[in-house]
């Protein structure tokens, strides 16, 4: 969430920065409400000062106060109460507007309106040259009898998948491999978190109100309380320290979690309908960091490297692109996408999105740190990224490691997690 003082002091600069990202139209409305708020505060303060001065004068009457003066004080008291009610309503209106305003892009973010304007930063690996036409993952998996979309539709509806036998083991092995790298080598602490969270948690982590239509939710029949299925464990991991003040010496905090993620994928119908690339339920190893402003940029760069390391170990070609302003996302101040090469599609596709929220996330979730050198607590900078999306990594393995006979070779880095399995073959 943006600082109201920043909007008050630099409204034109904020509106200009949000021109391609959206939300600029809210700035003037916030300023109007803020002006009303300050007017109400001044009127209330003036009346309270008058009441205090009059109270001193009333003491002179020693209990024999003229009725006209009593009536005047009752009027003042009633108006002060009314102003308190109005001020509370205005404060709530300003808060409701502030939570709708996106984060301001960092000045270094490339201009642009969509992902077509993202800027390639680097590539790693050379796409394999096939002696045959590589197939998309859904054809590879279904031909082996390991990927079953029809039964998923029967159980639920479209945009779900069933993985059989060795393919299910591959999914689990990839998740374990990712967690081991991040916790044993990259400094992350693994956390097991709730998959159902409150609306307040969703609001504080930036999912509400912006992404309401993209969320799955449930209502507890006995309590009437709405709980949301997490779209990413970033929500739970960031909320861990909501309302807390952390010692600076304990930063940066680096957390990781493996969870299913649930998204309605509203607005994407008709896109990526085949296979498991864009499903309502998918697994992900998430990476979250809490840090100081001074370390924020370095932590973002290392966050991207943490995701890249998984693809390097799996020997999967990829590229890193910096997201432009229009593709940056609601809460992000700066971000990169890691895109893995999918030969079945003949292009790079996103497998991880890494973002710095600067102090936007810390302010929204009320996560602060106490500087070691003393002084007032400051808002933490929050960062998050995928390390990686497990299902999309399964896709990348199926497509990059497919063989002419339809089997799929297991990457060397995974063999310790799949003892005795050299390749995926057709299910009997």
């Amino acid at each position: 969430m943006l600082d109201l003082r920043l909007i008050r002091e630099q409204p034109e600069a904020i509106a200009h920065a949000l021109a391609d990202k959206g939300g600029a139209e809210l700035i003037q409305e916030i300023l109007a409400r803020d002006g009303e708020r300050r007017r109400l505060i001044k009127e209330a303060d003036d009346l309270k000062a008058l009441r205090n001065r009059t109270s001193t004068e009333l003491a002179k009457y020693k209990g024999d106060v003229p009725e006209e003066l009593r009536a005047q004080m009752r009027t003042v008291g009633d108006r002060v109460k009314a102003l308190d009610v109005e001020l509370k309503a205005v404060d709530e209106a300003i808060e409701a507007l502030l939570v709708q305003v996106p984060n301001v892009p960092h000045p270094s973010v490339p201009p642009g309106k969509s992902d077509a304007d993202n800027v390639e930063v680097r590539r790693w690996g050379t796409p394999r040259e096939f002696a045959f036409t590589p197939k998309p993952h859904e054809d590879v998996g279904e031909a082996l009898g390991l990927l079953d979309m029809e039964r998923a539709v029967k159980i639920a509806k479209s945009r779900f998948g069933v993985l059989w036998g060795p393919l299910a083991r591959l999914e689990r092995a990839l998740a374990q491999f990712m967690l081991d790298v991040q916790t044993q080598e990259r400094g992350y602490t693994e956390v097991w978190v709730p998959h159902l969270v409150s609306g307040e948690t969703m609001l504080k982590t930036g999912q509400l109100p912006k992404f309401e239509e993209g969320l799955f939710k449930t209502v507890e029949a006995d309590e009437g309380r709405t709980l949301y299925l997490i779209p990413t464990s970033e929500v739970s991991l960031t909320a861990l320290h909501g309302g807390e003040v952390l010692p600076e010496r304990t930063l940066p905090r680096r957390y990781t979690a493996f969870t299913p993620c649930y998204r309605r994928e509203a607005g994407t119908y008709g896109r990526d309908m085949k296979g498991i690339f864009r499903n309502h339920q998918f697994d992900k190893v998430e990476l979250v960091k809490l840090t100081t402003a001074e370390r924020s940029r370095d932590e973002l760069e290392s966050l991207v490297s943490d995701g890249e390391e998984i693809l390097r170990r799996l020997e999967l070609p990829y590229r890193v692109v910096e997201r432009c302003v229009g593709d940056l996302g609601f809460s992000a101040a700066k971000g990169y996408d890691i895109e893995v090469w999918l030969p079945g599609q003949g292009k790079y596709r996103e497998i991880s999105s890494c973002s710095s929220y600067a102090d936007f996330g810390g302010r929204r979730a009320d996560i602060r740190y106490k500087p070691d050198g003393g002084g007032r607590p400051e808002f933490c900078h929050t960062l998050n990224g995928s390390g990686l999306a497990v299902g999309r990594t399964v896709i990348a393995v199926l497509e990059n490691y497919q063989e002419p006979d339809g089997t799929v070779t297991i990457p060397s880095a995974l063999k310790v997690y799949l003892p005795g399995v050299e390749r995926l073959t057709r299910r009997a």
Side-chain angles (χ1 to χ4, degrees):
M1 188 161 62
L2 294 182
D3 188 346
L4 177 58
R5 182 175 57 183
L6 180 65
I7 294 175
R8 185 186 297 144
E9 295 174 352
Q10 304 178 41
E12 293 183 1
I14 298 299
H16 178 74
L18 294 177
D20 287 335
K21 195 175 184 184
E25 70 284 353
L26 296 170
I27 302 304
Q28 288 304 316
E29 190 173 352
I30 290 172
L31 288 177
R33 289 287 192 173
D34 185 50
E36 182 181 358
R37 177 180 181 271
R38 285 185 285 173
R39 179 187 63 79
L40 292 172
I41 290 173
K42 184 179 185 307
E43 183 180 353
D45 287 346
D46 289 346
L47 288 174
K48 289 173 184 178
L50 173 61
R51 185 169 58 185
N52 291 338
R53 290 195 304 269
T54 305
S55 296
T56 301
E57 294 179 12
L58 291 179
K60 299 176 182 178
Y61 289 97
K62 297 181 179 180
D64 189 18
V65 180
E67 182 56 35
E68 180 180 351
L69 197 52
R70 289 182 184 275
Q72 181 184 353
M73 287 301 95
R74 284 196 295 269
T75 300
V76 170
D78 290 343
R79 180 56 181 158
V80 169
K81 290 180 181 178
L83 286 170
D84 287 343
V85 173
E86 291 180 44
L87 184 59
K88 184 172 185 278
V90 170
D91 283 339
E92 290 174 351
I94 292 174
E95 186 75 12
L97 290 169
L98 283 174
V99 297
Q100 298 178 57
V101 179
N103 198 1
V104 173
H106 188 274
S108 65
V109 174
K113 297 184 181 298
S114 72
D115 58 2
D117 300 315
N118 291 344
V119 177
E120 183 173 311
V121 177
R122 57 182 171 272
R123 294 190 181 196
W124 184 92
T126 302
R128 172 185 169 188
E129 293 186 6
F130 289 83
F132 59 95
T133 301
K135 297 177 181 179
H137 77 278
E138 63 271 15
D139 290 349
V140 175
E142 289 175 353
L144 293 174
L146 302 178
L147 178 60
D148 193 335
M149 307 307 296
E150 290 185 8
R151 283 186 172 86
V153 172
K154 180 174 67 174
I155 295 169
K157 60 175 184 178
S158 61
R159 291 190 184 266
F160 288 91
V162 172
L163 309 185
W164 286 95
L167 192 56
R169 286 186 64 192
L170 176 62
E171 172 103 0
R172 178 160 50 89
L174 281 167
Q176 186 64 63
F177 165 65
M178 294 173 188
L179 288 171
D180 285 350
V181 171
Q182 303 302 349
T183 58
Q184 297 175 17
E185 301 179 30
R186 312 295 283 198
Y188 289 84
T189 297
E190 184 176 357
V191 189
W192 185 255
V193 293
H195 299 177
L196 285 165
V197 299
S198 67
E200 181 181 8
T201 295
M202 284 292 202
L203 179 68
K204 289 184 175 181
T205 54
Q207 304 298 318
L208 293 177
K210 175 70 174 178
F211 303 109
E212 172 79 32
E213 69 172 7
L215 301 172
F216 285 107
K217 58 185 177 182
T218 182
V219 177
E220 295 182 29
D222 55 342
E223 298 182 19
R225 180 178 61 172
T226 299
L227 291 176
Y228 292 83
L229 288 160
I230 56 171
T232 164
S233 60
E234 168 206 337
V235 171
S236 301
L237 290 172
T238 302
L240 285 171
H241 293 296
E244 297 181 23
V245 178
L246 308 173
E248 182 180 0
R249 63 181 178 277
T250 69
L251 301 179
R253 304 264 182 121
R254 301 183 179 99
Y255 298 134
T256 184
F258 166 61
T259 67
C261 304
Y262 306 90
R263 300 181 187 177
R264 289 179 58 196
E265 292 291 352
T268 65
Y269 292 100
R271 293 170 49 198
D272 300 312
M273 292 298 292
K274 295 182 179 180
I276 57 172
F277 188 86
R278 196 181 300 278
N279 276 3
H280 291 305
Q281 175 187 320
F282 59 95
D283 293 334
K284 185 149 66 85
V285 171
E286 187 72 1
L287 308 174
V288 165
K289 296 184 178 184
L290 307 177
T291 190
T292 63
E294 292 74 21
R295 295 195 59 163
S296 185
R297 180 61 185 269
D298 289 342
E299 290 298 330
L300 175 59
E301 298 300 325
S302 68
L303 178 67
V304 178
S305 178
D306 295 335
E308 290 181 80
E309 182 64 18
I310 301 300
L311 294 176
R312 289 193 292 265
R313 300 272 184 101
L314 294 173
E315 301 180 81
L316 293 170
Y318 67 86
R319 70 173 187 167
V320 176
V321 298
E322 182 169 6
R323 301 201 302 278
C324 70
V325 171
D327 191 42
L328 199 52
F330 179 82
S331 298
K334 186 178 181 66
Y336 300 90
D337 284 347
I338 305 173
E339 300 178 346
V340 68
W341 175 253
L342 296 183
Q345 296 187 27
K347 55 186 174 182
Y348 291 95
R349 298 299 304 270
E350 179 196 331
I351 196 167
S352 173
S353 183
C354 301
S355 304
S356 168
Y357 292 175
D359 65 355
F360 185 92
R363 177 174 286 105
R364 190 158 182 144
D366 190 22
I367 308 171
R368 304 170 187 251
Y369 70 92
K370 182 71 172 175
D372 289 341
R376 294 184 303 175
E378 299 179 21
F379 287 110
C380 287
H381 278 218
T382 62
L383 304 91
N384 75 280
S386 304
L388 302 162
V390 182
R392 292 189 180 184
T393 311
V394 168
I395 291 173
V397 170
L398 290 177
E399 294 197 11
N400 283 277
Y401 283 90
Q402 60 183 294
E403 304 297 343
D405 61 359
T407 61
V408 176
T409 301
I410 299 298
S412 297
L414 294 180
K415 289 183 178 179
V416 67
Y417 297 93
L418 292 165
V421 181
E422 294 295 325
R423 61 180 58 208
L424 302 181
T425 58
R426 180 166 181 79
R427 182 169 67 96

